[in-house]
Amino acid sequence: MTGISYIRLRGFIRKEMLQIKRDPSSLLLGLVMPVLLLLIFGYGVSLEPTNVPIALVVDEQTPVTQELKARFQLSRYFSPVTVRSMAEAVQRMQADEVDGIVHVRSNFSSLLESGVEAPIQLILNGIDANRARIVEGYVRNTVGLWAQHAANQSGRSYNSPPIILESRIWFNAAANSTYSLIPGLLTLIMTLIGTQLTALVIAREWERGTMEALLSTPISANEILLGKLLPYYALGMIGMGFSITLGVFLFHVPLRGSLFVLICLGSVFLLASLGFGLFISSAARIQFVSAMGSVLSAFLPAFFLSGLMFDLKSTPVIVQYISTIIPAKYFVTITQTLFLAGNVWSVLLPASFVLVIMSIVLLVAARKKLGRRLPQ
């Protein structure tokens, strides 16, 4: 790269490292915050509801109904409460004490023995439609497992459909939501670290009046860009290392792909985040504006439009188009693939290619924006 004096660059990097050492907020943001975010999201956020409160209304007490009731009581997905009547169950539902009602009618055993349909009534609280659908699946699975077990014991079939669906879940056999959340959180953490760390550095120079001192030296825009970028890049990579270590050893998320590939592609994504942060910082001379700009234009899109929390294929077409310009979307794909599926190059290569292009564009944009503020 032309116009760079490595002596000046080394001195400028040393100045930035001393600044980081004197400013604990940078170290907290780069090293402590990833750990806190992983612990909060890893332990506090789950897309898989457990201990769902439901009301069991069993109108007849027979060995068959008692065994069915025991299935619900022993399941980790339910926290059942046995009530005497539907009126009491409805009252609990209206009071938001239970999320559903399972009603086994008084003729259930006799219908089952006679070989005709023996319906079980299920009423769900639909205020949270997604949760209701998940609970419905839990109930169906519980009743299905009970029916299969009862059929094996009695030697007769309670349910003999002509087609038997044998389902398997690949890459995450236990359907553990933590396994898909932790790799995605790596993206969110690196977005926050990358943009926040650099979003403030140029604006801080302007606010403190030290930019004028820099302008009076022979230092070039390229040297300022590299001097601001490299220390925070090293800090961000250390934070990424902490996040990967915690994900694998604390949350036991399997890393089936290459660690080397993950680090390389993480470097590319971090450069994109740092470049975007520098671009914001170069455009705004006020730290508060830079910080708000990085949250609104980097963190929130990474949270909502990366596919981490919501399925983008289910969103309107315009939202899907907007998500294509969000770098986090591609890194979420990369991390989830590397952690859970392995080195699937047909997925990794297209996402990596787009990420490299975005990193170059953002760094060039930051350089051009910075150059406009400095004498050439």
Side-chain angles (χ1 to χ4, degrees), residues 66-79:
Q66 290 300 309
E67 187 178 346
L68 177 59
K69 191 166 73 172
R71 281 278 175 178
F72 283 97
Q73 291 170 334
L74 294 176
S75 171
R76 71 183 182 93
Y77 296 110
F78 298 109
S79 179

Side-chain angles (χ1 to χ4, degrees), residues 213-361:
L214 274 177
L215 296 176
S216 65
T217 66
I219 195 166
S220 66
N222 289 332
E223 290 163 356
I224 291 181
L225 182 70
L226 287 175
K228 294 288 185 185
L229 194 68
L230 293 179
Y232 294 100
Y233 170 81
L235 199 59
M237 290 304 294
I238 294 173
M240 177 185 170
F242 281 166
S243 303
I244 294 174
T245 304
L246 283 176
V248 172
F249 293 103
L250 183 61
F251 295 101
H252 307 292
V253 181
L255 178 57
R256 300 192 174 103
S258 167
L259 177 62
F260 176 74
V261 174
L262 178 60
I263 292 174
C264 289
L265 296 180
S267 301
V268 175
F269 178 67
L270 184 59
L271 285 174
S273 298
L274 291 169
F276 188 58
L278 280 175
F279 176 80
I280 295 173
S281 189
S282 302
R285 295 189 177 190
I286 302 173
Q287 290 188 70
F288 177 76
V289 175
S290 297
M292 291 302 297
S294 67
V295 170
L296 293 176
S297 57
F299 179 74
L300 292 182
F303 191 86
F304 291 108
L305 299 178
S306 65
L308 168 64
M309 302 301 293
F310 310 103
D311 180 20
L312 289 175
K313 294 176 183 175
S314 305
T315 59
V317 176
I318 183 67
V319 175
Q320 295 182 36
Y321 277 119
I322 293 174
S323 71
T324 59
I325 62 172
I326 308 297
K329 172 190 175 183
Y330 303 96
F331 195 57
V332 165
T333 301
I334 289 171
T335 53
Q336 290 182 339
T337 302
L338 280 173
F339 268 96
L340 300 179
N343 298 331
V344 184
W345 296 110
S346 59
V347 176
L348 295 177
L349 287 178
S352 304
F353 177 76
V354 176
L355 209 52
V356 169
I357 297 298
M358 286 184 167
S359 300
I360 295 172
V361 169

Side-chain angles (χ1 to χ4, degrees), residues 99-148:
D99 289 341
I101 301 171
V102 177
H103 183 200
V104 181
R105 294 187 176 90
S106 58
N107 59 347
F108 179 76
S109 297
S110 59
L111 290 175
L112 205 61
E113 288 298 322
S114 61
V116 298
E117 288 185 353
I120 298 174
Q121 186 181 24
L122 172 64
I123 302 173
L124 294 169
N125 184 345
I127 291 178
D128 186 341
N130 189 50
R131 181 181 174 88
R133 281 193 291 269
I134 294 174
V135 174
E136 182 186 11
Y138 288 169
V139 173
R140 285 183 182 277
N141 286 337
T142 303
V143 173
L145 288 172
W146 165 80
Q148 186 177 4

